[in-house]
Amino acid sequence: MTDRYAEIDEVIAYIHKNIYEPLPLSTLADYIGYSPYHFSRIFKDRIGLPPLYYVSSLRLEKAKDLLLHTHLSIRDIAMEIGQQSLGTFTTRFTERVGVTPSQFRNSKEEADEHLLALQKLNSWRESMPVDNPDLTVEGTIEAAAPFQGVILIGLFAKPIPEGFPLYGTLLSSVGPFRFTDVRPGTYYLMATSVPWGMQAVDFLLPQSTTLRTRSKEPVIVKPNSRTPHLHVTLHVPRLDDPPILISLPILMNHFLKRVAPMLR
């Protein structure tokens, strides 16, 4: 946990405690005695996201929890997290989680199957020719705590793992990773781990159950400049980590479909 703008930790704790209550920007800023403008600036500098975007992300995470642990209707869940329109809630959930609310609610059995299929893989190799080193992002990933399982890693458009990554893959262990033919642009590296044998409900809701890492600083890919080698470490969840919104089984399934032809 960083001490930079440590007062933001107080706001994050307040947001978590009052996530079902109205949380306008003025309320959050007043909580630590800052102007909305100054609060927004330092919150984004510390967390990487604007305050209200962070709040909406946590509310979608709560929606995922309610979908798996209650029998509330999807309309009632939408209202519970402050969305009056079922259509708006469904659209935002689908864009940021990757599946509709009803698909997510019914995904536990499929999620278990994907993790088991990954554990049985004999080869995790993907064809990764390097046609242009300038458009390659590579690095090394380590873990602060030992584990055996799968690592899901990707380059995202925002500093939060939501929606499908622009470039992504799965790893069977810590070590090197590489993304090739990356279009010039600005990306954020995100990764998380799922231990073998973990229950589907735990990696469908990976709030506090999986190691993770993210780059608060963007990864900038330029057409005529090599991207520096990245070195990241998976760590236990921290208070200032944004929620993992993308449904991890989607990434597992996508990877399995990619490697299946190579195993024939």
Side-chain angles (χ1 to χ4, degrees):
M1 176 91 52
T2 178
D3 290 329
R4 190 182 188 196
Y5 302 134
E7 62 270 36
I8 296 300
D9 294 339
E10 299 176 30
V11 181
I12 293 174
Y14 177 82
I15 291 171
H16 278 272
K17 186 177 179 180
N18 298 278
I19 194 63
Y20 295 118
E21 304 298 326
L23 292 171
L25 182 62
S26 58
T27 297
L28 299 179
D30 286 346
Y31 187 73
I32 52 172
Y34 287 163
S35 71
Y37 173 80
H38 181 63
F39 169 70
S40 295
R41 184 180 64 79
I42 66 171
F43 188 97
K44 186 174 181 180
D45 192 35
R46 166 73 188 275
I47 305 301
L49 299 167
L52 297 187
Y53 197 90
Y54 178 81
V55 170
S56 73
S57 301
L58 283 186
R59 285 178 171 155
L60 283 178
E61 183 180 59
K62 292 296 182 184
K64 290 168 65 177
D65 193 302
L66 292 171
L67 284 165
L68 292 186
H69 289 126
T70 75
H71 295 293
L72 289 173
S73 70
I74 293 174
R75 181 181 296 278
D76 286 343
I77 290 173
M79 295 185 67
E80 189 76 11
I81 67 164
Q83 284 287 343
Q84 300 302 316
S85 166
L86 175 61
T88 300
F89 168 69
T90 300
T91 298
R92 290 180 179 172
F93 188 98
T94 304
E95 287 176 349
R96 300 178 68 182
V97 178
V99 291
T100 67
S102 60
Q103 288 172 331
F104 183 82
R105 171 168 264 171
N106 297 314
S107 63
K108 283 185 281 189
E109 183 176 346
E110 188 177 47
D112 277 329
E113 292 173 355
H114 291 337
L115 185 59
L116 185 60
L118 288 169
Q119 190 170 11
K120 292 179 178 179
L121 273 184
N122 293 320
S123 173
W124 288 63
R125 292 186 179 276
E126 290 187 273
S127 178
M128 296 185 297
V130 181
D131 296 326
N132 188 339
D134 291 344
L135 302 181
T136 297
V137 174
E138 56 188 348
T140 304
I141 187 166
E142 297 181 349
F147 83 100
Q148 290 185 319
V150 57
I151 297 171
L152 304 94
I153 185 168
L155 297 175
F156 292 82
K158 298 176 182 177
I160 178 173
E162 65 175 27
F164 207 81
L166 300 174
Y167 302 89
T169 191
L170 272 63
L171 308 172
S172 60
S173 66
V174 295
F177 63 87
R178 175 189 292 166
F179 302 108
T180 60
D181 296 323
V182 178
R183 292 171 62 93
T186 300
Y187 305 94
Y188 293 87
L189 181 75
M190 307 279 168
T192 191
S193 65
V194 176
W196 302 131
M198 173 176 273
Q199 297 298 307
V201 68
D202 291 324
F203 64 86
L204 283 167
L205 297 170
Q207 296 104 313
S208 59
T209 54
T210 65
L211 302 175
R212 75 274 313 271
T213 190
R214 66 179 177 129
S215 64
K216 290 183 182 177
E217 297 300 321
V219 177
I220 300 174
V221 178
K222 300 178 181 179
N224 299 306
S225 177
R226 295 289 291 268
T227 303
H229 186 92
L230 302 174
H231 189 101
V232 294
T233 300
L234 293 164
H235 56 74
V236 297
R238 298 168 179 163
L239 181 64
D240 62 350
D241 286 328
I244 298 172
L245 290 184
I246 179 66
S247 183
L248 299 184
I250 300 175
L251 305 181
M252 295 176 178
N253 186 45
H254 187 74
F255 178 82
L256 287 166
K257 287 181 176 179
R258 287 209 312 266
V259 300
M262 303 173 195
L263 301 179
R264 293 171 184 166

